[in-house]
Amino acid sequence: MKIIAFLGNPGKKYARNRHNIGFIIGEYFARQHGISCGQKKFNALSGNGKIDGEDICLLFPQAYMNKSGESVIPALNYYGLDVQDLVAVHDEIEFNFGRVEIKFGGGHKGHNGIRSIVQCAASADFHRLRFGVGRPENPEIPIADYVLGNFLPEEMVKIEELLPRIDEMLMDVIKKRD
């Protein structure tokens, strides 16, 4: 079994923020694989299903980003899973907009959601799907304000175009393909 945690902040106010790309990707992924995520467990919205014979739990933490680990770790514990059975999907300011990569392990690079998971799990040994949101063009704009800002309409169009490829990338992790 794998848990895929789509990181973001709860509430309509944050729905199209850069920091919520995890939720945006998760909504698409859940629809594509017919998994309903309306169950309230682990201070998260979750849903379980099978994808190509693999048991999957999709998790949308409902605590704020900096408390993501408080939802993810109880879910891992409930299912008797190790942190290596986790895939966290999140924004990445170090990548230009639209660059998407899978990585295993490593530091949190200042990402508060990943930092929370690493602290709660006492391990960084899990997969991450990192979606580049870039940095603000104006260096005077604080990073927090930038990631809590909404995607531009043209960025949302590009995200829609990238979602099928992202789905394939997540499927590769689920199926343990490299």
Side-chain angles (χ1 to χ4, degrees):
M1 177 175 207
K2 292 242 186 276
I3 292 179
I4 306 176
F6 301 100
L7 305 188
N9 287 313
K12 290 180 185 178
K13 170 181 169 181
Y14 301 103
R16 294 300 173 234
N17 285 181
R18 290 176 183 90
H19 222 19
N20 273 38
I21 189 65
F23 280 13
I24 294 167
I25 292 168
E27 290 163 3
Y28 175 85
F29 191 82
R31 271 193 318 272
Q32 286 301 109
H33 298 283
I35 299 175
S36 173
C37 294
Q39 193 174 22
K40 293 180 181 177
K41 284 171 101 166
F42 321 114
N43 194 21
L45 293 175
S46 68
N48 292 54
K50 277 196 185 292
I51 300 176
D52 284 348
E54 180 77 31
D55 288 323
I56 300 293
C57 174
L58 305 183
L59 198 68
F60 294 79
Q62 295 299 292
Y64 286 98
M65 179 71 78
N66 63 345
K67 296 192 180 250
S68 296
E70 295 176 15
S71 294
V72 171
I73 303 312
L76 286 169
N77 292 340
Y78 177 84
Y79 291 108
L81 300 174
D82 194 73
V83 72
Q84 285 112 357
D85 298 313
L86 171 67
V87 182
V89 179
H90 64 91
D91 60 305
E92 177 59 69
I93 64 168
E94 298 303 329
F95 290 174
N96 289 335
F97 173 79
R99 178 176 161 193
V100 184
E101 287 187 12
I102 297 276
K103 134 181 191 168
F104 182 83
H108 55 73
K109 296 193 179 230
H111 191 284
N112 289 330
I114 298 300
R115 179 191 325 252
S116 174
I117 294 169
V118 169
Q119 286 175 340
C120 291
S123 174
D125 293 337
F126 56 94
H127 284 92
R128 301 109 193 260
L129 183 139
R130 305 182 300 165
F131 185 100
V133 297
R135 289 182 166 273
E137 288 181 24
N138 179 348
E140 303 281 319
I141 296 174
I143 294 297
D145 291 348
Y146 178 72
V147 297
L148 292 175
N150 285 340
F151 284 110
L152 300 172
E154 58 269 21
E155 290 173 325
M156 288 303 298
V157 168
K158 181 67 174 173
I159 290 167
E160 291 293 327
E161 292 171 1
L162 290 170
L163 287 171
R165 184 174 137 243
I166 293 168
D167 184 272
E168 288 177 22
M169 293 172 80
L170 285 170
M171 290 302 297
D172 286 345
V173 174
I174 291 168
K175 294 176 179 182
K176 299 173 183 83
R177 297 186 305 218
D178 292 320

